[in-house]
Amino acid sequence: MTVARSRARGAALAALVAVEEGAHLDRALRKSDFLAGKDARERSLARRIARGTLQMRGRIDWILERVLERGNPEDLDIRTRNLLRIGLYQILYLSSVPSRAAVHETVRAAREAGGEPASRLVNAVLRGVLREGVPEGAPSLEEDPAGHLSVALSCPRWLAARWVSRLGVPATASRLEAANRTPPLSLRVVRDGDLDRVAREIEKEGRKTRRSRISPSVLLLPDGGDPTVLRSFREGRVLVQDEGAALVGSLAGPLPRGARVLDCCAAPGGKGLPIAASAPGGLLVAVDCSLWRMGRLRENLARLRLDNVRTAVADALNLPLREGTRFDAVLVDVPCTGLGTLARRADLRWRVREEDIARLAALALRLLRAVADAVEPGGLLLYSTCTTEPEENEETVARFLREDGRFRMEPPEVQVPDGALAPDGTVRVLPEIHGCEGAFAARLRRVRDGCARSVSH
């Protein structure tokens, strides 16, 4: 057991180093050399340590700056820095492992990864924190609310300042607390009427389930765990998808029988494939510019055994469609900052930069302009994101509608949670209010043919 625990910390270290060198956490953890061959408990512990350390990195680094003799963790080599973060995360937040055992195993992992000098430093720092306690003196909430929240709840200062300015201190604190929770495993049942049967099967497999209050097509597994061991997953009846994302995906419906649907930015297929599964006789054309992400969509497509989906690797800004090709519905789930998904994507808060918001909002508007002609007159254009930022959401949609007079906002035809329908007709769910990922959608109906009323670039 001791060696296994040490290996789990070694796997977590490898993932954290990969993230700091530019990898995404999910991709780093999926790499076979990190976790292959390890048992379920070891994989679970490695994932929990890697994910939790990234979530709380802001506060952990603030503590390290005060207990390191040289002052700045960035001055250390990348492995030692992340070993210290792993050790502090366990001491401060991982109640299931006794602190002294966590220190012992982290020092062992440091010896294996960095030799005696690294293990001596890790041992000295972590035992010093155990002996003397966590340093005090964080920024005052009254005098520096953004500084206080960025340390206490672990996020970049620019993001805390942005949310404090727009939302105020209490709502910002609530949003960050939601970002630091451990979300349940969320499974979208892809075929209508199958939810009760899937729930019974999962419960027979020894896992607890509960229905989502946000999306009627979603089952939640509060204890998490590996979805790939479930029969319903192997048989292609569920997709791993947050309930907020599932809700906005459902806003495309109901569609007429035999509908032709274009799913731009489609991979990995969470929004488009359930439409295809619920629309026999129809056709879904799934397009994405990322070869790696399209590979994941094709994995999901094969598992779900859908024969009414066609795929293409292509850029939605320049769709390879014949002149005059139109669809009954076009989904455009645009690239965005993803700032509504911090609870599930622990590395994201350290990856996104403030300037990305304006850059991605401009890209989203370009995508709307590029795909608008592919919507059949009378058809639907569904715009969606997984961010909470107005520039990428309401402001982008409002600008598109001002420019293109062929489209008007249309309210959803499915029930949405209380507080999710905005006065302008858009739908948004927020982590601190609805308890799921933040997500946004707008249903835009093409009400007439012809050219755009005006376009300003």
Side-chain angles (χ1 to χ4, degrees), residues 68-80:
L68 284 170
E69 291 184 2
R70 294 182 181 178
N72 191 345
E74 295 299 324
D75 294 336
L76 300 171
D77 72 83
I78 191 169
R79 289 178 178 272
T80 304

Side-chain angles (χ1 to χ4, degrees), residues 193-273:
D194 218 14
L195 188 133
D196 288 340
R197 185 161 70 96
V198 170
R200 287 195 296 272
E201 285 179 2
I202 292 175
E203 287 164 6
K204 285 181 180 177
E205 292 174 293
R207 309 278 285 273
K208 297 177 182 176
T209 69
R210 61 181 171 86
R211 275 59 167 176
S212 166
R213 292 180 297 179
I214 304 299
S215 173
S217 61
V218 168
L219 284 174
L220 301 175
L221 280 63
D223 297 331
D226 183 359
T228 64
V229 302
L230 299 172
R231 176 183 171 188
S232 53
F233 183 91
R234 294 195 305 272
E235 294 181 351
R237 286 178 284 134
V238 299
L239 281 167
V240 177
Q241 185 179 50
D242 186 84
E243 49 191 332
L247 172 69
V248 301
S250 71
L251 298 181
L255 293 169
R257 183 173 180 80
R260 288 164 44 84
V261 179
L262 173 64
D263 185 4
C264 306
C265 315
K271 295 188 174 63
L273 295 186

Side-chain angles (χ1 to χ4, degrees), residues 372 375 381 400-401 404-409 444-447:
V375 182
L381 175 58
F400 173 74
L401 289 176
D404 196 325
R406 297 173 297 178
F407 291 85
R408 63 169 171 76
M409 186 79 72
L444 309 176
R445 182 69 66 183
R446 183 169 175 176
V447 293

